Amino acid sequence: PTATALAGGRQATGPGVPSTSAAGPGVSATAPAGPGLLAASRPTVTGAAGMGTEAAMVSAMGTEEELEEGLELDLDDAWRRVDRVTALPYHEFALEMTPGGNQYISNVGGQGLMVINWDGTGRRSLGPNVAIQHLTLSGNRVVYVSGGRAGVVPVAGGPHRFVDISDRIRVDLREEALQKFREATRVIGERFYRTDMKGLDWPSVVARYELLVSRARTASEFSDIVNALLGELGASHSGLTNPGPASSLREPAGRLGIEYERVELDDGRAGFRVTHVVPGGPADRGATRPAVGDIITEVEFRPFSGHETLLQSMRGRVGEELVVTFERAVPGRSATTEYRALLTPIAYAELAELKYAEAVEASRRAVDELSDGRLGYIHIQAMNQSSLDEFQGHLYGAAYGKDGLIIDVRNNAGGSTTDRVLTSIMAAEHAYTIPAGADPSLTGHYPHDRLDAPRYTLPINMIANEKSYSNAEILAHAFRTLGRGTLVGEQTYGGVISTGTHTLLDGAVLRVPFRGWYLPDGTDMERNGAVPHLRVRQTPEDEAAGVDRQLEHAVRDLLGRLE
């Protein structure tokens, strides 16, 4: 009899193939592919004892040579026989599969090291993300490296065991540099997005730089030479960085959430006059707090010495409650009043987020004032998942009751979410709904639970500038190409390539562009930034004066289109 059975996504038919249902009991297989893990059925020959064995398969199906003779592939409905195992919003990488094909092990974004059954069930965490090396031959343990230590963890779960090895080796720095260089240039030659290497005679260029590398003795010398080589290609998203201590190993200095200037007091002491208080920062909290014009004179009852800065006085004190002394001028009196406040300094990253939120709120208020409340405003900080979530979450609040919307992607360093932003702003209206009891004249409403993403169909203007990079440029290009509205600002940077990384022998990380991006007319987005319909220069003088000419022009243009 002739029967069909799925094997690795292929349908095998031919004489001697046993009758086995691709969807029946005892069928199991795995085949990783695509953004999630995919599973496909495969035949399992079950012996008299109910156990599938290789010997039973060979006996029932014949030898490999016999199977190949007359083998036909049925691919017409192969897509029906492939099922997605995972559909996670996180990137899965460093995939391993147990020898029996019954389980996958991988790192899952920020979720850590995960194991999952071949059919998508039984997902569980084994620990944090690690550099997976391989599975043991039996497939019951994962061997990995983390923080410079070799570790092992059972696939079934359990404690991690570290195999600490201590030894000394002598490294020939010249040979190490040459090995790293040859590996790096091979990877660049294989992966670079332009197979013609932009017209360079790549072997000759490599040979020329290899002479320099042969004389390199330090990691910084090596990276300087490789980065000069990459400069020959004139491509963004590329470079080599050396391994080094993570920033978390450095002693952080606390921030009070203020802007200030150094002053000298009448008695010769140093102080720091507050010129601005960042909303939501440490100095903006509590009953007693410094205000603009106050002078900070002590931290933890200790005056500032010599040329000591405010940051130096709070080195290593992030999250530590401190007594901050400051003086405040009393109206109508020559004397000042001394105050003491309990403030808890924050890290630089947290302060940066607070200042970003302050800037966005200032732009939102400006749009509201310039448009007399008719326009909404949203800034997209980056083209990543968290910024996308914020964009989608704020879209309704920013646009409700408005006649139009300003979307700002200035100073956006990129990412990968352009198409999901476009899902919200490019969907056309095909219907509207009126629920029971609603005013029939209120048209244009649509149930949001039917949409993949929040939708906005009213007029939009977008602002971009020379500090809009990568995926933010793709969004700006798309906005113009699709004719969604007026693009305002300055031409974007012109650095649009998909890039990947490769780790060299000593941990140095090489970034290599592997995919170019082009407009429908064939224009390479690399070195060809998105050109605004309305070019408006924003000068340093404008920044210092608090004037945003690009925002003003974007509002004026959109209001003009609404008339």
Side-chain angles (χ1 to χ4, degrees):
T2 298
T4 60
L6 184 66
R10 299 183 301 175
Q11 188 82 0
T13 65
V17 179
S19 177
T20 307
S21 170
V27 176
S28 65
T30 52
L37 303 180
L38 303 178
S41 305
R42 72 178 177 192
T44 296
V45 179
T46 305
M51 299 293 290
T53 66
E54 184 178 353
M57 182 175 288
V58 171
S59 175
M61 302 179 69
T63 65
E64 183 177 349
E65 291 77 10
E66 291 172 338
L67 285 173
E68 287 181 354
E69 185 178 353
L71 183 66
E72 297 179 5
L73 299 179
D74 181 4
L75 302 177
D76 289 344
D77 64 344
W79 60 275
R80 293 182 179 274
R81 307 191 297 276
V82 180
D83 296 316
R84 185 183 297 279
V85 175
T86 62
L88 302 173
Y90 308 100
H91 178 55
E92 298 158 314
F93 58 98
L95 175 67
E96 294 285 340
M97 183 173 64
T98 56
N102 59 319
Q103 289 181 308
Y104 296 115
I105 296 92
S106 67
N107 287 310
V108 182
Q111 301 294 294
L113 182 64
M114 309 291 290
V115 60
I116 188 171
N117 294 335
W118 75 275
D119 59 357
T121 63
R123 183 165 67 93
R124 61 185 184 278
S125 173
L126 298 179
N129 287 340
V130 296
I132 299 174
Q133 302 302 301
H134 57 82
L135 301 183
T136 54
L137 292 177
S138 59
N140 63 347
R141 288 178 295 173
V142 182
V143 180
Y144 64 86
V145 174
S146 179
R149 304 176 72 191
V152 179
V153 61
V155 172
H160 291 238
R161 181 170 63 88
F162 290 96
V163 184
D164 290 320
I165 302 170
S166 178
D167 199 358
R168 287 189 172 190
I169 61 172
R170 181 178 295 275
V171 176
D172 185 323
L173 296 179
R174 179 178 183 277
E175 290 300 319
E176 181 187 53
L178 286 171
Q179 191 278 335
K180 289 165 51 183
F181 180 78
R182 289 163 183 164
E183 180 178 355
T185 54
R186 174 182 58 79
V187 170
I188 296 168
E190 291 174 351
R191 300 184 185 177
F192 191 67
Y193 82 108
R194 287 271 299 272
T195 55
D196 66 348
M197 307 305 286
K198 292 191 172 181
L200 292 177
D201 183 349
W202 188 241
S204 297
V205 174
V206 168
R208 177 156 46 90
Y209 278 87
E210 186 168 327
L211 290 175
L212 298 174
V213 167
S214 65
R215 295 174 174 82
R217 293 296 182 271
T218 67
S220 60
E221 288 175 346
F222 178 82
S223 61
D224 287 345
I225 295 169
V226 173
N227 284 323
L229 169 65
L230 287 166
E232 299 269 3
L233 291 168
S236 65
H237 293 70
S238 58
L240 185 131
T241 54
N242 295 310
S247 59
S248 61
L249 299 179
R250 301 174 186 169
E251 187 177 40
R255 266 78 173 176
L256 296 179
I258 60 174
E259 294 176 8
Y260 53 88
E261 59 185 6
R262 188 184 183 93
V263 296
E264 186 174 332
L265 304 178
D266 293 339
D267 57 6
R269 292 179 300 146
F272 296 91
R273 180 184 287 116
V274 178
T275 59
H276 177 69
V277 177
V278 179
D284 193 41
R285 308 169 190 163
T288 302
R289 63 182 78 170
V292 173
D294 293 347
I295 299 176
I296 297 174
T297 58
E298 297 177 352
V299 173
E300 285 292 279
F301 306 102
R302 188 180 67 80
F304 302 105
S305 60
H307 296 286
E308 182 182 20
T309 67
L310 185 57
L311 283 182
Q312 287 173 331
S313 72
M314 290 185 290
R315 184 176 291 159
R317 287 178 159 176
V318 173
E320 177 184 342
E321 192 174 61
L322 303 176
V323 177
V324 177
T325 304
F326 59 91
E327 295 180 356
R328 177 173 295 169
V330 179
R333 295 174 54 185
S334 58
T336 59
T337 302
E338 187 175 82
Y339 293 87
R340 288 189 172 94
L342 285 174
L343 303 179
T344 303
I346 58 178
Y348 173 79
E350 186 176 350
L351 175 62
E353 283 299 312
L354 290 174
K355 297 189 77 170
Y356 168 74
E358 180 185 21
V360 169
E361 177 58 21
S363 294
R364 186 201 64 77
R365 288 198 305 268
V367 168
D368 194 61
E369 292 172 4
L370 290 167
S371 68
D372 197 22
R374 295 184 64 189
L375 304 181
Y377 171 87
I378 290 182
H379 184 272
I380 303 178
Q381 186 176 18
M383 308 305 292
N384 56 22
Q385 187 63 44
S386 59
S387 294
L388 177 69
D389 291 341
E390 188 169 340
F391 168 76
Q392 293 179 340
H394 292 179
L395 184 57
Y396 181 83
Y400 179 73
K402 308 292 184 182
D403 298 325
L405 181 66
I406 303 291
I407 296 179
D408 193 346
V409 294
R410 291 177 294 180
N411 309 314
N412 182 317
S416 61
T417 55
T418 281
D419 292 281
R420 283 178 276 178
V421 172
L422 292 174
T423 297
S424 291
I425 66 175
M426 290 305 302
E429 289 187 5
H430 61 84
Y432 66 88
T433 59
I434 300 177
D439 185 347
S441 66
L442 298 178
T443 62
H445 295 277
Y446 196 87
H448 278 252
D449 60 334
R450 300 288 184 92
L451 301 171
D452 284 339
R455 184 179 68 183
Y456 187 78
T457 59
L458 295 181
I460 296 175
N461 270 5
M462 181 174 287
I463 315 176
N465 67 0
E466 69 279 6
K467 294 182 181 178
S468 300
Y469 296 108
S470 195
N471 198 249
E473 299 185 70
I474 296 175
L475 178 60
H477 274 296
F479 190 80
R480 175 162 184 156
T481 298
L482 299 173
R484 184 61 176 89
T486 302
L487 184 64
V488 181
E490 280 286 14
Q491 183 172 358
T492 61
Y493 179 76
V496 184
I497 310 179
S498 294
T499 192
T501 61
H502 179 83
T503 303
L504 301 178
L505 177 66
D506 64 344
V509 176
L510 178 70
R511 296 185 79 203
V512 184
F514 68 88
R515 178 171 55 209
W517 286 78
Y518 301 84
L519 294 175
D521 64 3
T523 301
D524 189 346
M525 295 189 198
E526 179 78 353
R527 294 193 174 185
N528 290 290
V531 179
H533 298 96
L534 186 59
R535 297 192 72 159
V536 181
R537 188 180 177 213
Q538 182 79 2
T539 67
E541 290 78 13
D542 292 333
E543 297 282 349
V547 175
D548 192 339
R549 300 189 189 281
Q550 294 171 341
L551 191 69
E552 292 173 0
H553 279 75
V555 169
R556 236 181 352 251
D557 177 83
L558 186 51
L559 288 176
R561 286 165 43 213
L562 291 173
E563 296 302 331

Short mmCIF file of all heavy atoms in Angstrom, two decimals, residues 102-152:
data_model
loop_
_atom_site.label_atom_id
_atom_site.label_comp_id
_atom_site.label_asym_id
_atom_site.label_seq_id
_atom_site.Cartn_x
_atom_site.Cartn_y
_atom_site.Cartn_z
N ASN A 102 12.08 16.33 21.54
CA ASN A 102 10.86 16.55 22.32
C ASN A 102 10.85 17.88 23.07
O ASN A 102 9.82 18.29 23.58
CB ASN A 102 10.66 15.42 23.33
CG ASN A 102 11.83 15.31 24.29
OD1 ASN A 102 12.98 15.43 23.89
ND2 ASN A 102 11.54 15.07 25.56
N GLN A 103 12.00 18.57 23.14
CA GLN A 103 12.04 19.84 23.86
C GLN A 103 12.98 20.83 23.17
O GLN A 103 13.98 20.43 22.54
CB GLN A 103 12.51 19.63 25.31
CG GLN A 103 11.49 18.93 26.19
CD GLN A 103 12.00 18.77 27.61
OE1 GLN A 103 13.10 18.26 27.82
NE2 GLN A 103 11.22 19.20 28.58
N TYR A 104 12.64 22.14 23.30
CA TYR A 104 13.50 23.22 22.85
C TYR A 104 14.05 23.95 24.07
O TYR A 104 13.36 24.10 25.08
CB TYR A 104 12.73 24.25 22.02
CG TYR A 104 12.15 23.75 20.73
CD1 TYR A 104 10.78 23.70 20.54
CD2 TYR A 104 12.98 23.38 19.68
CE1 TYR A 104 10.24 23.27 19.34
CE2 TYR A 104 12.44 22.95 18.48
CZ TYR A 104 11.08 22.90 18.31
OH TYR A 104 10.55 22.48 17.13
N ILE A 105 15.28 24.42 23.95
CA ILE A 105 15.87 25.29 24.97
C ILE A 105 16.38 26.53 24.25
O ILE A 105 17.05 26.43 23.22
CB ILE A 105 17.03 24.59 25.72
CG1 ILE A 105 16.51 23.38 26.50
CG2 ILE A 105 17.73 25.56 26.66
CD1 ILE A 105 16.57 22.09 25.74
N SER A 106 16.06 27.71 24.78
CA SER A 106 16.51 28.95 24.15
C SER A 106 16.46 30.08 25.16
O SER A 106 15.81 29.98 26.20
CB SER A 106 15.65 29.29 22.93
OG SER A 106 14.33 29.60 23.34
N ASN A 107 17.15 31.17 24.81
CA ASN A 107 16.99 32.42 25.54
C ASN A 107 15.80 33.15 24.94
O ASN A 107 15.65 33.20 23.72
CB ASN A 107 18.25 33.28 25.42
CG ASN A 107 19.41 32.74 26.23
OD1 ASN A 107 19.27 32.44 27.41
ND2 ASN A 107 20.56 32.59 25.60
N VAL A 108 14.96 33.72 25.79
CA VAL A 108 13.77 34.42 25.31
C VAL A 108 13.82 35.85 25.81
O VAL A 108 13.47 36.14 26.96
CB VAL A 108 12.48 33.73 25.80
CG1 VAL A 108 11.26 34.46 25.26
CG2 VAL A 108 12.47 32.26 25.39
N GLY A 109 14.32 36.76 24.96
CA GLY A 109 14.34 38.18 25.28
C GLY A 109 14.76 38.42 26.71
O GLY A 109 15.74 37.89 27.21
N GLY A 110 13.99 39.23 27.42
CA GLY A 110 14.28 39.51 28.82
C GLY A 110 13.69 38.50 29.76
O GLY A 110 13.70 38.69 30.98
N GLN A 111 13.15 37.40 29.20
CA GLN A 111 12.51 36.39 30.04
C GLN A 111 13.49 35.38 30.61
O GLN A 111 13.19 34.69 31.57
CB GLN A 111 11.44 35.65 29.23
CG GLN A 111 10.36 36.56 28.67
CD GLN A 111 9.53 37.18 29.77
OE1 GLN A 111 8.81 36.51 30.49
NE2 GLN A 111 9.64 38.50 29.90
N GLY A 112 14.67 35.25 30.00
CA GLY A 112 15.68 34.33 30.50
C GLY A 112 15.76 33.04 29.73
O GLY A 112 15.18 32.89 28.64
N LEU A 113 16.47 32.08 30.29
CA LEU A 113 16.66 30.76 29.69
C LEU A 113 15.39 29.95 29.88
O LEU A 113 14.94 29.74 31.01
CB LEU A 113 17.85 30.07 30.35
CG LEU A 113 18.24 28.69 29.82
CD1 LEU A 113 18.71 28.77 28.37
CD2 LEU A 113 19.34 28.08 30.69
N MET A 114 14.81 29.48 28.76
CA MET A 114 13.52 28.79 28.83
C MET A 114 13.60 27.42 28.17
O MET A 114 14.39 27.21 27.25
CB MET A 114 12.44 29.62 28.12
CG MET A 114 12.34 31.08 28.55
SD MET A 114 11.73 31.30 30.22
CE MET A 114 10.03 30.80 30.03
N VAL A 115 12.76 26.53 28.64
CA VAL A 115 12.58 25.22 28.01
C VAL A 115 11.10 25.06 27.69
O VAL A 115 10.24 25.52 28.45
CB VAL A 115 13.08 24.08 28.91
CG1 VAL A 115 12.34 24.04 30.24
CG2 VAL A 115 12.97 22.73 28.20
N ILE A 116 10.80 24.44 26.55
CA ILE A 116 9.42 24.26 26.13
C ILE A 116 9.30 22.94 25.40
O ILE A 116 10.23 22.51 24.70
CB ILE A 116 8.97 25.44 25.23
CG1 ILE A 116 7.48 25.38 24.95
CG2 ILE A 116 9.77 25.48 23.94
CD1 ILE A 116 6.94 26.62 24.26
N ASN A 117 8.18 22.27 25.57
CA ASN A 117 7.94 21.01 24.87
C ASN A 117 7.73 21.27 23.38
O ASN A 117 7.37 22.37 22.96
CB ASN A 117 6.71 20.29 25.45
CG ASN A 117 6.95 19.84 26.88
OD1 ASN A 117 8.08 19.63 27.31
ND2 ASN A 117 5.86 19.71 27.64
N TRP A 118 7.94 20.22 22.58
CA TRP A 118 7.87 20.36 21.12
C TRP A 118 6.53 20.87 20.63
O TRP A 118 6.44 21.52 19.59
CB TRP A 118 8.17 19.01 20.46
CG TRP A 118 7.03 18.05 20.55
CD1 TRP A 118 6.74 17.20 21.57
CD2 TRP A 118 5.99 17.85 19.58
NE1 TRP A 118 5.60 16.49 21.31
CE2 TRP A 118 5.13 16.86 20.08
CE3 TRP A 118 5.73 18.41 18.32
CZ2 TRP A 118 4.01 16.43 19.39
CZ3 TRP A 118 4.61 17.97 17.62
CH2 TRP A 118 3.76 16.98 18.17
N ASP A 119 5.46 20.65 21.40
CA ASP A 119 4.12 21.06 20.96
C ASP A 119 3.69 22.38 21.58
O ASP A 119 2.54 22.78 21.46
CB ASP A 119 3.10 19.97 21.27
CG ASP A 119 3.02 19.65 22.76
OD1 ASP A 119 3.81 20.24 23.54
OD2 ASP A 119 2.19 18.80 23.14
N GLY A 120 4.61 23.07 22.26
CA GLY A 120 4.29 24.38 22.82
C GLY A 120 3.83 24.36 24.26
O GLY A 120 3.59 25.41 24.85
N THR A 121 3.71 23.20 24.85
CA THR A 121 3.26 23.10 26.23
C THR A 121 4.46 23.07 27.18
O THR A 121 5.60 22.86 26.77
CB THR A 121 2.43 21.83 26.45
OG1 THR A 121 3.25 20.67 26.19
CG2 THR A 121 1.24 21.80 25.50
N GLY A 122 4.17 23.23 28.45
CA GLY A 122 5.19 23.03 29.48
C GLY A 122 6.30 24.06 29.49
O GLY A 122 7.42 23.74 29.92
N ARG A 123 6.05 25.28 29.07
CA ARG A 123 7.12 26.29 29.07
C ARG A 123 7.48 26.67 30.50
O ARG A 123 6.61 26.96 31.32
CB ARG A 123 6.67 27.52 28.29
CG ARG A 123 7.76 28.59 28.17
CD ARG A 123 7.39 29.61 27.10
NE ARG A 123 6.23 30.39 27.47
CZ ARG A 123 6.28 31.56 28.10
NH1 ARG A 123 7.46 32.07 28.43
NH2 ARG A 123 5.19 32.23 28.37
N ARG A 124 8.78 26.67 30.80
CA ARG A 124 9.21 27.05 32.14
C ARG A 124 10.61 27.66 32.08
O ARG A 124 11.35 27.44 31.14
CB ARG A 124 9.20 25.85 33.09
CG ARG A 124 10.12 24.74 32.69
CD ARG A 124 9.97 23.54 33.61
NE ARG A 124 10.91 22.48 33.29
CZ ARG A 124 10.76 21.60 32.34
NH1 ARG A 124 9.67 21.63 31.60
NH2 ARG A 124 11.68 20.67 32.12
N SER A 125 10.92 28.42 33.11
CA SER A 125 12.20 29.12 33.17
C SER A 125 13.26 28.25 33.84
O SER A 125 12.98 27.57 34.83
CB SER A 125 12.04 30.43 33.94
OG SER A 125 13.30 31.05 34.14
N LEU A 126 14.48 28.32 33.27
CA LEU A 126 15.61 27.63 33.87
C LEU A 126 16.58 28.61 34.53
O LEU A 126 17.53 28.19 35.19
CB LEU A 126 16.37 26.82 32.81
CG LEU A 126 15.61 25.69 32.12
CD1 LEU A 126 16.51 25.01 31.09
CD2 LEU A 126 15.11 24.68 33.14
N GLY A 127 16.36 29.92 34.35
CA GLY A 127 17.26 30.90 34.91
C GLY A 127 17.38 32.11 34.00
O GLY A 127 16.61 32.26 33.04
N PRO A 128 18.33 32.99 34.25
CA PRO A 128 18.52 34.19 33.42
C PRO A 128 19.13 33.85 32.07
O PRO A 128 19.59 32.72 31.84
CB PRO A 128 19.48 35.04 34.26
CG PRO A 128 20.25 34.03 35.05
CD PRO A 128 19.29 32.93 35.38
N ASN A 129 19.13 34.82 31.16
CA ASN A 129 19.77 34.63 29.86
C ASN A 129 21.25 34.31 30.03
O ASN A 129 21.94 34.93 30.86
CB ASN A 129 19.65 35.90 29.00
CG ASN A 129 18.24 36.09 28.47
OD1 ASN A 129 17.45 35.15 28.41
ND2 ASN A 129 17.92 37.30 28.08
N VAL A 130 21.74 33.34 29.27
CA VAL A 130 23.13 32.92 29.34
C VAL A 130 23.65 32.68 27.93
O VAL A 130 22.88 32.65 26.97
CB VAL A 130 23.28 31.62 30.18
CG1 VAL A 130 22.89 31.84 31.62
CG2 VAL A 130 22.46 30.48 29.57
N ALA A 131 24.96 32.50 27.82
CA ALA A 131 25.55 32.14 26.54
C ALA A 131 25.55 30.61 26.43
O ALA A 131 26.45 29.93 26.95
CB ALA A 131 26.97 32.69 26.43
N ILE A 132 24.54 30.06 25.76
CA ILE A 132 24.40 28.61 25.65
C ILE A 132 25.51 28.06 24.77
O ILE A 132 25.75 28.56 23.67
CB ILE A 132 23.02 28.24 25.07
CG1 ILE A 132 21.89 28.74 25.96
CG2 ILE A 132 22.91 26.72 24.89
CD1 ILE A 132 20.50 28.53 25.38
N GLN A 133 26.19 27.02 25.26
CA GLN A 133 27.25 26.37 24.49
C GLN A 133 26.73 25.14 23.75
O GLN A 133 26.89 25.01 22.56
CB GLN A 133 28.41 25.99 25.41
CG GLN A 133 29.01 27.17 26.18
CD GLN A 133 29.53 28.27 25.26
OE1 GLN A 133 30.41 28.03 24.43
NE2 GLN A 133 28.98 29.47 25.40
N HIS A 134 26.09 24.26 24.49
CA HIS A 134 25.52 23.04 23.89
C HIS A 134 24.77 22.27 24.96
O HIS A 134 24.77 22.65 26.13
CB HIS A 134 26.63 22.16 23.28
CG HIS A 134 27.70 21.77 24.28
ND1 HIS A 134 27.56 20.73 25.16
CD2 HIS A 134 28.93 22.29 24.51
CE1 HIS A 134 28.65 20.61 25.91
NE2 HIS A 134 29.50 21.56 25.54
N LEU A 135 24.11 21.19 24.54
CA LEU A 135 23.51 20.25 25.48
C LEU A 135 24.47 19.09 25.66
O LEU A 135 25.30 18.79 24.81
CB LEU A 135 22.16 19.74 24.96
CG LEU A 135 21.06 20.77 24.69
CD1 LEU A 135 19.78 20.04 24.26
CD2 LEU A 135 20.80 21.64 25.89
N THR A 136 24.34 18.40 26.80
CA THR A 136 25.10 17.17 26.98
C THR A 136 24.59 16.14 25.98
O THR A 136 23.49 16.28 25.42
CB THR A 136 24.95 16.64 28.41
OG1 THR A 136 23.55 16.49 28.71
CG2 THR A 136 25.57 17.60 29.41
N LEU A 137 25.38 15.08 25.74
CA LEU A 137 25.01 14.08 24.74
C LEU A 137 23.65 13.46 25.02
O LEU A 137 22.90 13.12 24.10
CB LEU A 137 26.09 13.00 24.66
CG LEU A 137 27.45 13.45 24.09
CD1 LEU A 137 28.45 12.30 24.14
CD2 LEU A 137 27.28 13.97 22.67
N SER A 138 23.31 13.31 26.28
CA SER A 138 22.01 12.73 26.63
C SER A 138 20.89 13.75 26.52
O SER A 138 19.71 13.39 26.56
CB SER A 138 22.05 12.16 28.05
OG SER A 138 22.37 13.19 28.98
N GLY A 139 21.25 15.03 26.41
CA GLY A 139 20.24 16.07 26.27
C GLY A 139 19.56 16.47 27.55
O GLY A 139 18.56 17.18 27.52
N ASN A 140 20.09 16.03 28.69
CA ASN A 140 19.41 16.32 29.95
C ASN A 140 19.97 17.52 30.69
O ASN A 140 19.44 17.92 31.72
CB ASN A 140 19.45 15.10 30.87
CG ASN A 140 20.87 14.72 31.25
OD1 ASN A 140 21.82 15.21 30.65
ND2 ASN A 140 21.00 13.85 32.24
N ARG A 141 21.05 18.13 30.17
CA ARG A 141 21.63 19.29 30.83
C ARG A 141 22.08 20.32 29.79
O ARG A 141 22.50 19.96 28.69
CB ARG A 141 22.81 18.89 31.72
CG ARG A 141 22.41 18.14 32.99
CD ARG A 141 23.64 17.74 33.79
NE ARG A 141 24.46 16.78 33.07
CZ ARG A 141 25.65 16.36 33.47
NH1 ARG A 141 26.17 16.85 34.58
NH2 ARG A 141 26.32 15.46 32.77
N VAL A 142 22.00 21.60 30.18
CA VAL A 142 22.44 22.70 29.34
C VAL A 142 23.80 23.17 29.86
O VAL A 142 23.95 23.45 31.05
CB VAL A 142 21.45 23.88 29.38
CG1 VAL A 142 21.91 24.99 28.45
CG2 VAL A 142 20.06 23.41 29.00
N VAL A 143 24.77 23.27 28.97
CA VAL A 143 26.09 23.78 29.32
C VAL A 143 26.17 25.21 28.78
O VAL A 143 25.87 25.47 27.62
CB VAL A 143 27.21 22.91 28.70
CG1 VAL A 143 28.58 23.47 29.08
CG2 VAL A 143 27.06 21.46 29.16
N TYR A 144 26.57 26.14 29.63
CA TYR A 144 26.56 27.55 29.24
C TYR A 144 27.71 28.30 29.89
O TYR A 144 28.43 27.76 30.75
CB TYR A 144 25.23 28.19 29.63
CG TYR A 144 24.98 28.24 31.13
CD1 TYR A 144 25.48 29.29 31.90
CD2 TYR A 144 24.25 27.23 31.76
CE1 TYR A 144 25.26 29.33 33.27
CE2 TYR A 144 24.03 27.27 33.12
CZ TYR A 144 24.54 28.33 33.88
OH TYR A 144 24.34 28.36 35.23
N VAL A 145 27.87 29.55 29.48
CA VAL A 145 28.82 30.46 30.10
C VAL A 145 28.07 31.71 30.51
O VAL A 145 27.26 32.25 29.75
CB VAL A 145 29.97 30.83 29.13
CG1 VAL A 145 30.86 31.90 29.76
CG2 VAL A 145 30.79 29.59 28.79
N SER A 146 28.32 32.19 31.73
CA SER A 146 27.66 33.40 32.22
C SER A 146 28.61 34.11 33.17
O SER A 146 29.12 33.51 34.12
CB SER A 146 26.36 33.05 32.95
OG SER A 146 25.75 34.23 33.46
N GLY A 147 28.85 35.38 32.89
CA GLY A 147 29.75 36.15 33.74
C GLY A 147 31.15 35.58 33.81
O GLY A 147 31.81 35.67 34.85
N GLY A 148 31.60 34.95 32.72
CA GLY A 148 32.93 34.39 32.70
C GLY A 148 33.05 33.05 33.39
O GLY A 148 34.15 32.51 33.54
N ARG A 149 31.93 32.45 33.80
CA ARG A 149 31.95 31.16 34.48
C ARG A 149 31.20 30.12 33.66
O ARG A 149 30.16 30.41 33.07
CB ARG A 149 31.32 31.26 35.87
CG ARG A 149 31.93 32.29 36.78
CD ARG A 149 31.16 32.38 38.08
NE ARG A 149 31.40 31.21 38.93
CZ ARG A 149 30.68 30.95 40.02
NH1 ARG A 149 29.66 31.73 40.35
NH2 ARG A 149 30.97 29.88 40.76
N ALA A 150 31.73 28.89 33.66
CA ALA A 150 31.05 27.78 32.98
C ALA A 150 30.01 27.20 33.94
O ALA A 150 30.31 26.94 35.11
CB ALA A 150 32.06 26.71 32.58
N GLY A 151 28.81 27.01 33.43
CA GLY A 151 27.73 26.51 34.26
C GLY A 151 26.96 25.39 33.59
O GLY A 151 27.00 25.23 32.37
N VAL A 152 26.25 24.63 34.41
CA VAL A 152 25.42 23.52 33.93
C VAL A 152 24.10 23.58 34.70
O VAL A 152 24.09 23.78 35.92
CB VAL A 152 26.09 22.15 34.17
CG1 VAL A 152 25.19 21.03 33.67
CG2 VAL A 152 27.44 22.09 33.49
#
